[in-house]
Amino acid sequence: MRLALNNLSVAYGRAPILSGFNAEVGQGEFIGLVGPNGSGKSCLLKTIAGLLKPKMGDVILDDDNLHTLPPKDRARKMSYLAQDRTAHWPLPVGQLVALGRAPYRGSLGKLSAQDELAIDHALDAAHCTDLKTRRFDQLSGGEQMRVHLARALAVDAPLLIADEPNTALDPYYQITLMNTLSAQIITGKTVIASLHDLSLAKQFCTRIWVVHQGGLVQDAPPDQALNKDILSQVFNIKWSGVHWEVLSPQLVLP
Amino acid sequence: MKLTLLIIFCLCMVLISISIGALHIPLPNVISAMLGRGSDIHVTIIQDLRLPRTVLALTIGAGLGASGAALQGYTRNPLADPGILGFSAVAALGAVVALYFGWYALVTPAALLGAGLGALLILAMAGRRKGASVLILAGVGIGALATALTGLIMNFAPNPWALSEIVYWLMGSLRNATKDGAILCGLLTLLGLGFLFFTGRDLRTLSLGEDTARSLGVSLGKVRLLLVIGVALCVGSGVAIAGAIGFIGLFVPHIMRGIFGADPARLIPLSALGGAGFLTFADILTRVLSGQGTVIYLGILTALIGAPFFIWIAAREGRA
């Protein structure tokens, strides 16, 4: 698996979100995508997942241009865990997780033995095997999040893209989730996840992308990436040695 | 087990629908008349009147039920239905235009044309923009416009007789069922059901929301196209024969969801079956309730049952 983002520019309507974004990802990496609210993290992840078409530049996955790949082929190469974690009908968990196998099935086919295996593995990895027969709408927010993670893992794709997978989880499951994602890269998969918790990003990711105002301002291992300058210039925060402090917003001259 | 009961319910409705009528025919004679044996008068009544009527109730009910289930699956909204999304209104407008000009032979093609054009218009408006919510808005808007134009045509009706013709037709009825009509409606509905069944798998994936479904390889444009063609065929052919029959597409999927679970893919065939059984039941009811001289129209009856149901769902959604 090799992913290349070449001079990527993306806009919502006329409002530019990302511009001139260049990066590369190889097999077995765990990229932590960090940046303030509105910096373009979700937009970048959606573009990599093929859900947004770039205005300029392209996303190359192995040897294919992602945005010209047939949808089912693309769906087998990457799995996307959206920020929106709804399920619109009160379906059983087993059936929702099985939807992760949609890219492999024809319009009428049944689940194959391989599908069943992938579903069981995913349920196990996301710690929700015991939820399999429960109804989704009767689960807690954290349990629903784990079910969605299992659904994304069931795709069993070489690349997993997760948009803020940690939200709505208690500390125990936040760390468990990071462990699950880390376990993915040991099996040769690649993970790109947007995160707000910088300490978790630092602990688990192999590389950090810092996004600020639609551009990649830092691409380095965690120890180098999350330095004092980045914290103050990008996040407007400072570690005093005892506690975190908020810096006064910088004046931007027009 | 539940499925078996549903099938038995449908079969019972078929038998009752064929058995009742102005002339009492004993059940053994009904069955032999269906096979073309027995007295000529029995064979004519069964084969030319009651059988087409029953087949029409089954096919129109199946088309409306499946359309409702598919539209609810696509919009992920339990209040979606071909009537509410404007499909019935544009089909009715086509038929009313034909009635206004007295082109009785063209009522069926005009309703189909209306449904097709309306579907294209709704599709074009929903366009490539984000799917479900825009489809609802486009459908409601175009439906309202079609209803207004239907009113305008009635406004300009040349004489009370033409006006009453339109009004009665809009109330929906299977009284004018014919063999040819049943065959035409049956074939078009089957074709439409085929399109709808093909959307099932993708509609199930859409339960996860549009972004996730797309990431799993679902093409929203393809689903919407199959859906709109399927609904236009089912609803257009039904409206063409029987006028506007509302609310079947709304509450049949709802009841099926309560009995068989919420899987949007399975709900399409199940709602087709349920709709077939229910509309046949409703048609039997209109015949039982209609006495000498007074006729209860099928569309009025389904609306009388369906509208309170709609209000009940809306109230329950509000509480949830």
Side-chain angles (χ1 to χ4, degrees), chain A residues 46 50-51 71 74-75 80 82 86-91 95-96 99-100 102-103 105-109 148 151 155, chain B residues 72-73 76-78 130 197-198 201-202 204-212 214-219 257 262-264:
Chain A
K46 280 187 184 179
L51 303 175
R74 187 195 66 218
Y80 171 72
T86 43
H88 292 273
W89 303 110
L91 295 170
Q95 200 168 41
L96 280 177
L99 292 176
R105 299 161 75 189
S107 48
L108 294 166
H148 275 282
R151 198 280 309 152
V155 181
Chain B
Q72 290 179 13
R76 284 152 283 142
N77 187 329
K130 276 218 149 187
F197 289 163
F198 257 105
R201 175 65 58 81
D202 286 346
R204 184 188 287 153
T205 311
L206 261 173
S207 310
L208 294 167
E210 287 172 6
D211 278 348
T212 305
R214 284 176 62 209
S215 83
L216 287 167
V218 172
S219 160
R257 197 174 289 125
D263 178 5

Side-chain angles (χ1 to χ4, degrees), chain B residues 18-33:
Chain B
I18 296 173
S19 303
I20 64 164
L23 181 71
H24 176 73
I25 306 174
L27 195 60
N29 296 13
V30 167
I31 291 166
S32 56

Side-chain angles (χ1 to χ4, degrees), chain B residues 246-247 251 289 296-310:
Chain B
F247 292 101
F251 69 86
L289 292 176
I296 304 282
Y297 280 83
L298 185 57
I300 303 295
L301 191 75
T302 60
L304 274 177
I305 301 172
F309 198 84
F310 183 95

